[in-house]
Amino acid sequence: MAGVEERVASEHSGNGVPTGTGEIVVENPATGAEIGRVPDMPAEQVAELARRARAAQPGWEALGFEGRGRILLRAQKWVMDNRDRVIETIVSETGKTYEDALFAEVNYAGFAFRFWAENAPEYMADEKVRTAQLFVKGKKLLTRYKPLGLVGVIGPWNYPLTNSFGDCIPALAAGNAVILKPSEVTPLTSLLMAEALRECGLPPDVFQVATGRGETGAALIDESDMVMFTGSTATGKKVMARAADTITPVQLELGGKDPMIVLADADLERAANAAVFYSMQNGGQTCISVERVYVEAPVYDEFVAKVTEKARELRTGVPSGPGSVDVGAITFPKQLDIISDHVEDAKAKGARVLVGGNRKEGPGQFFEPTVLVDVDHTMKAMTEETFGPTLPIMKVADAEEAIRLANDSQYGLAGSVFTKDVAKGEAIARRVESGAVDVNDVMVGYSALELPMGGWKASGLGSRHGAGGIRKYCAQQSLLVTRFALKKDVHMYPYKSRTTKALAGALKLLYGRGKRN
Ligand code: NDP
């Protein structure tokens, strides 16, 4: 497996890095083996990439939706034709399972290339605007969308294809040049996608990858016309502060502490399966995973029993192809410390561990699938983003208490409600303070790219997907065209007392009644 990534990395390591600058060693988190090296790009090199991107962008924009769409559709086919290579690369740099790479990454990219190729023309089409303003009646009013130029995408390590690269697809479809700064932990998938786009006919320098650490990301902010960032809330704040220097627009998809509410009338078997799957899938390293559960008292014991039984059966270990393990590695070394800290903190404050509870001995970075009960909001496991295979479950008296606790959070990314009464479920979902809430499901709304997805509160700013998911990469321009006009309008100079009084009277007639006209 390592051979593939070594080749990808070495093909790109000659990317103009002067001898003596740093390199980043990429490791397989499931085995600890080195799988590649990439340049740690200094700010000057990011500036050079940006210069090339700006030179290439007008030609890309001039290709139009048709020309760009053709290349994006070729890329869709490329991903499917090279599925195994893509999955191997993702699995080896993240340590996730084959299934997590297939369902949540390749599946996403496959759909996204087509989605943006097909929908970009409609989402970015000129929009005619009608106005009730008498002063501009009869004039043509329009909004139009124009690509911003150079978009900087800064991505995290949990989904190198979906989260990092995925945001580049609509930016490219809109006609922008894009520079992607992947996480230093998982840069190889991004480099592979750069190779894919080149093979599919993308003009040189329209898409480039700036490998590096936080400083490389910071340099990219300085060079970009817009920044799309996904990662922690702490880094999101730094990104926003840096972008303020150049008044560069940013969109942020940040952390989450997503609640699941299980009502007494829920299909408990489905709710338990969903709780286990959506808390452990991708090793729990998903911003919209189930991070905490609130269960109504009458069904609490039965729910906990079902969850415990299912979580005990999960197999953790080094992924070695389809069906080999259920829960993969923890991708980011520091994340293991955070997960351990949250579990130990909960135990010290009175929580009981029903399943798991420990990191596994190396090689590789693994944490046991863990179920916690007797938890409350004094514990980090219920209030801070754990981002690991943990499932803390709390008993609540009723739905009101569940909603109150679900909203007792700095975060507001996603959430879920389980009940057979779907009207009640939807009513509760509307009261959960999160950007995306599913009823009798978790997370799957994310795969419908027509549906906007974005966080409230400390979970972010702006959204991805839907019309807004591509318009954010555009400058919006308002146009007013006057076709028939007098030589001089009545409000123009010189001001005359009689005209002003007549106009004031007209205004009183128009607006002075406090009623609709
Ligand atoms: P970060 O937010 O630190 O990193 C995200 C990206 O930002 C990486 O590419 C990172 O580079 C880059 N970066 C770091 N510092 C800067 C900076 N000053 N300016 C610009 N870019 C910068 O996430 P971590 O990887 O450190 O994970 C920490 C926590 O974030 C996790 O514990 C988890 O709770 C949360 N998280 C949330 C994700 C989500 O999907 N919402 C995804 C990943 C993590 P580099 O990696 O090279 O440092």
Side-chain angles (χ1 to χ4, degrees):
M1 202 181 267
V4 175
E5 288 71 37
E6 270 161 14
R7 186 157 53 80
V8 171
S10 68
E11 278 167 7
H12 296 270
S13 57
N15 206 357
V17 190
T19 323
T21 54
E23 273 191 333
I24 294 170
V25 175
V26 186
E27 291 179 355
N28 182 332
T31 62
E34 180 178 330
I35 54 172
R37 284 173 187 236
V38 296
D40 184 5
M41 293 190 186
E44 312 81 72
Q45 197 174 358
V46 176
E48 174 55 21
L49 296 190
R51 198 194 54 71
R52 297 210 300 249
R54 288 191 186 283
Q57 187 271 333
W60 175 239
E61 183 181 349
L63 278 184
F65 292 114
E66 183 85 21
R68 295 195 296 271
R70 247 196 317 275
I71 291 170
L72 295 179
L73 290 176
R74 264 185 237 144
Q76 179 192 37
K77 184 171 180 319
W78 190 99
V79 169
M80 291 305 144
D81 289 349
N82 293 273
R83 193 186 65 189
D84 288 342
R85 189 171 165 210
V86 175
I87 291 176
E88 270 182 22
T89 306
I90 296 172
V91 168
S92 67
E93 69 176 347
T94 61
K96 67 176 69 182
T97 66
Y98 182 95
E99 285 78 3
D100 289 339
L102 176 67
F103 300 146
E105 302 240 51
V106 169
N107 175 28
Y108 180 92
F111 184 51
F113 275 119
R114 176 170 295 276
F115 178 82
W116 292 114
E118 287 180 349
N119 288 286
E122 188 190 323
Y123 286 154
M124 284 176 61
D126 288 359
E127 287 178 321
K128 271 202 173 141
V129 174
R130 290 165 65 92
T131 178
Q133 173 55 271
L134 277 181
F135 288 110
V136 286
K137 277 274 184 213
K139 299 174 194 289
K140 181 173 155 187
L141 306 181
L142 279 181
T143 52
R144 50 87 64 140
Y145 300 93
K146 175 176 171 37
L148 279 163
L150 174 55
V151 170
V153 176
I154 302 176
W157 42 262
N158 57 342
Y159 287 98
L161 186 56
T162 299
N163 269 355
S164 288
F165 182 75
D167 283 319
C168 303
I169 304 173
L172 289 169
N176 294 289
V178 176
I179 298 178
L180 168 61
K181 207 303 271 177
S183 166
E184 76 195 56
V185 185
T186 57
L188 302 181
T189 305
S190 302
L191 293 171
L192 182 61
M193 292 315 297
E195 185 186 325
L197 288 172
R198 266 200 310 276
E199 273 185 32
C200 293
L202 190 83
D205 303 329
V206 169
F207 175 75
Q208 300 173 89
V209 179
T211 54
R213 303 177 203 277
E215 296 73 32
T216 309
L220 180 56
I221 297 168
D222 297 344
E223 299 295 338
S224 302
D225 296 319
M226 184 273 179
V227 173
M228 175 69 218
F229 171 83
T230 306
S232 63
T233 299
T235 308
K237 287 179 189 172
K238 288 187 205 163
V239 168
M240 209 170 160
R242 181 89 177 211
D245 280 349
T246 44
I247 322 268
T248 299
V250 291
Q251 295 236 338
L252 311 169
E253 150 121 15
L254 308 175
K257 189 71 194 171
D258 301 341
M260 174 183 193
I261 295 174
V262 181
L263 300 186
D265 69 348
D267 176 341
L268 280 197
E269 186 61 22
R270 176 166 177 83
N273 278 324
V276 172
F277 180 73
Y278 290 110
S279 61
M280 309 294 172
Q281 171 268 353
N282 211 49
Q285 302 158 106
T286 304
C287 48
I288 51 174
S289 67
V290 172
E291 281 261 333
R292 52 195 169 118
V293 187
Y294 302 99
V295 189
E296 277 194 305
V299 294
Y300 173 82
D301 288 340
E302 192 183 344
F303 178 81
V304 169
K306 282 179 183 290
V307 162
T308 303
E309 190 189 330
K310 293 172 196 299
R312 280 207 179 108
E313 285 169 9
L314 296 177
R315 299 158 301 157
T316 308
V318 181
S320 59
S324 54
V325 285
D326 300 307
V327 181
I330 303 303
T331 305
F332 184 48
K334 284 188 216 146
Q335 200 67 37
L336 265 181
D337 298 332
I338 296 171
I339 301 165
S340 296
D341 177 48
H342 287 195
V343 172
E344 291 310 316
D345 172 72
K347 277 161 65 181
K349 291 172 180 161
R352 278 186 301 134
V353 178
L354 297 186
V355 183
N358 299 298
R359 64 169 82 194
K360 290 175 74 170
E361 287 301 311
Q365 301 153 195
F366 292 94
F367 201 91
E368 295 171 342
T370 296
V371 178
L372 296 167
V373 292
D374 298 346
V375 290
D376 61 42
H377 280 212
T378 64
M379 302 170 187
K380 293 179 192 172
M382 293 298 280
T383 55
E384 294 178 19
E385 187 173 42
T386 308
F387 228 60
T390 56
L391 186 59
I393 310 172
M394 187 169 172
K395 189 195 294 189
V396 291
D398 52 28
E400 286 306 314
E401 187 183 10
I403 296 167
R404 184 177 60 73
L405 289 167
N407 291 338
D408 176 29
S409 173
Q410 61 164 324
Y411 295 113
L413 194 55
S416 56
V417 183
F418 281 73
T419 170
K420 285 192 187 129
D421 182 343
V422 290
K424 184 165 68 172
E426 191 182 320
I428 290 173
R430 286 169 185 265
R431 293 177 59 197
V432 174
E433 294 165 0
S434 290
V437 186
D438 292 6
V439 176
N440 295 322
D441 246 310
V442 183
M443 217 191 271
V444 292
Y446 192 89
S447 62
L449 300 190
E450 297 81 356
L451 197 59
M453 161 78 215
W456 293 3
K457 304 198 263 185
S459 288
L461 203 62
S463 67
R464 46 167 69 106
H465 302 164
I470 190 164
R471 289 179 183 168
K472 68 186 178 187
Y473 296 127
C474 301
Q476 179 183 301
Q477 188 177 42
S478 299
L479 295 173
L480 179 147
V481 180
T482 298
R483 285 165 287 198
F484 313 105
L486 303 167
K487 299 285 179 226
K488 190 171 91 172
D489 290 334
V490 67
H491 61 275
M492 290 178 182
Y493 292 134
Y495 289 152
K496 287 187 188 151
S497 163
R498 211 173 48 182
T499 318
T500 302
K501 279 182 190 153
L503 285 175
L507 283 180
K508 184 143 193 339
L509 266 181
L510 271 176
Y511 307 130
R513 288 176 299 164
K515 289 193 286 192
R516 285 181 201 277
N517 286 322

